[in-house]
Amino acid sequence: MPYKVLVIPGDGVGPEVVEAALYVIKAAASKYGVDLEIKTAEAGDAALRKYGTAMPPEALKLADEADVIFKGPIGESAYDVTSLIRMRYLLYANIRPVKNLPGVPAVKEIDCVFVRENVEDVYVGAEYRVGDVTIALKVITEKGTRRVARVARKYAEMRGRRVTIVHKANVLRVVDAFFRDVAMEELRGLEVDQMYVDAAAMELVRNPKRFDVVLTTNQYGDILTDLAAQVAGGIGLAPSGNIGDSKAMFEPVHGAAFDIAGKGIANPIATILSAAMMFEWMGRKDVANAIRVAVEKSIEKGIKTPDIGGDKSTIEVGKFIASII
Ligand code: IPM
Ligand code: MN
């Protein structure tokens, strides 16, 4: 049975980086014998203009049928597509590895993996306005915390180091303290420490090597993973995987970058490394590793986009990486 992959190219630089990644995905699938059935759906700002909804029924139907979604960045309507997919399929863990790539200038050395809770927190969309007062609900549940903490446990056991729980329990003394305490319990037996989110932001710049697995709530994870990506050398390199119990979605951490869209200069590496994560999720670590090695080779050979000091286009980088595979 083939894996049913739904590709959502997205907005801005999305179609370019996804096209580049598809060269790699197809080369890897045929070389390593992974049976993929690839379909494509329109979703995002362009879909909103065309169909009046950012996630049209056709995209939703294809997403329901797919085993896995491979998605580019979405523009202004990102919440209506990205968060909808995360919530609809309960993709409760957002895995965001952050690691330097050889030959890419970085702020500091860093090698950690963020396990970001992905369906709760202020992302539940419970916002209200009563006259001149506005309210947003931050929802953290025991069940939601336990299941994401178990994912952090798995990564900690794989990597053999420490989990840092990041929260703001000194202010959110009910909600964040609950997240911390439940997570702490679920991680019992492992080396665990904790940090306030503001201090974690500072430490990620000051001494990023102290982090290994970082377990945090949805919004802190959103913010810190952009920060950490920049520490590692730039957000154009940062992949992610949204994982549930049966389905998953892979996407770059970066946004639609409308300012550089259509110029062919967007770095496809974040999206290509997200494809590597997808193959790993399919149980094909060999394919994932082949993609990662090919990405490193392309950088070594100077086949790079301008953001990391090269002069090649998005598609040239994608095709080159595909050709190595
Ligand atoms: C991300 C994005 C999304 C988020 C937005 C676009 C809804 O920033 O995946 O990090 O906040 O989760
Ligand atoms: Mn983000």
Side-chain angles (χ1 to χ4, degrees), residues 2 13 32 100 112 124 140 142 167 185 258 308 312:
V13 298
Y32 289 88
N100 309 96
C112 64
V124 297
I140 302 282
E142 176 172 348
H167 58 80
E185 203 183 293
F258 289 109
I308 54 171
K312 295 289 184 274

Side-chain angles (χ1 to χ4, degrees), residues 215-283:
L215 171 62
T216 191
T217 50
N218 204 345
Q219 189 171 39
Y220 304 150
D222 177 40
I223 298 164
L224 292 180
T225 51
D226 268 37
L227 176 76
Q230 193 57 42
V231 170
I235 196 142
L237 308 167
S240 76
N242 303 260
I243 314 288
D245 286 330
S246 52
K247 233 183 177 96
M249 169 172 70
F250 297 86
E251 58 182 346
V253 171
H254 64 73
F258 289 109
D259 54 330
I260 60 164
K263 295 186 176 159
I265 57 171
N267 195 334
I269 288 182
T271 310
I272 291 168
L273 291 177
S274 301
M277 291 181 76
M278 177 175 79
F279 282 109
E280 192 163 347
W281 176 83
M282 291 170 175

Side-chain angles (χ1 to χ4, degrees), residues 43-269:
D45 294 3
L48 178 60
R49 283 192 297 271
K50 203 161 146 192
Y51 306 104
T53 163
M55 191 72 191
E58 175 67 8
L60 213 48
K61 178 176 158 278
L62 290 172
D64 283 350
E65 290 164 3
D67 299 310
V68 57
I69 297 162
F70 187 75
K71 191 182 76 53
I74 309 285
E76 282 310 307
S77 57
Y79 182 80
D80 300 317
V81 177
T82 309
S83 287
L84 180 146
I85 291 171
R86 291 172 182 165
M87 307 255 177
R88 184 176 176 93
Y89 307 116
L90 212 58
L91 310 180
Y92 55 82
N94 195 330
I95 309 302
R96 298 188 155 181
V98 184
K99 197 172 179 212
N100 309 96
L101 282 170
V104 176
V107 176
K108 291 264 170 73
E109 225 179 282
I110 183 168
D111 180 4
C112 64
V113 51
F114 280 81
V115 179
R116 164 187 173 190
E117 200 291 318
N118 212 28
V119 293
E120 299 195 331
D121 197 338
V122 292
Y123 280 76
V124 297
E127 282 193 281
Y128 310 96
R129 177 169 175 168
V130 186
D132 56 1
V133 177
T134 53
I135 302 164
L137 296 185
K138 175 165 184 167
V139 177
I140 302 282
T141 68
E142 176 172 348
K143 191 175 173 188
T145 305
R146 285 198 191 283
R147 68 187 170 210
V148 72
R150 280 195 291 272
V151 175
R153 165 178 280 281
K154 196 186 88 188
Y155 278 88
E157 285 169 351
M158 250 154 39
R159 295 166 62 97
R161 275 184 62 202
R162 167 178 57 202
V163 183
T164 303
I165 303 171
V166 172
H167 58 80
K168 187 74 182 174
N170 51 341
V171 173
L172 291 159
R173 287 180 285 189
V174 176
V175 173
D176 277 29
F178 187 68
F179 179 82
R180 177 199 59 199
D181 294 345
V182 171
M184 203 63 104
E185 203 183 293
E186 199 60 52
L187 295 169
R188 207 178 285 146
L190 296 174
E191 191 189 332
V192 180
D193 67 355
Q194 51 173 304
M195 207 179 275
Y196 294 131
V197 62
D198 49 349
M202 180 195 68
E203 281 296 293
L204 274 165
V205 176
R206 196 183 72 89
N207 181 23
K209 274 172 85 178
R210 75 155 316 285
F211 294 99
D212 185 34
V213 176
V214 181
L215 171 62
T216 191
T217 50
N218 204 345
Q219 189 171 39
Y220 304 150
D222 177 40
I223 298 164
L224 292 180
T225 51
D226 268 37
L227 176 76
Q230 193 57 42
V231 170
I235 196 142
L237 308 167
S240 76
N242 303 260
I243 314 288
D245 286 330
S246 52
K247 233 183 177 96
M249 169 172 70
F250 297 86
E251 58 182 346
V253 171
H254 64 73
F258 289 109
D259 54 330
I260 60 164
K263 295 186 176 159
I265 57 171
N267 195 334
I269 288 182

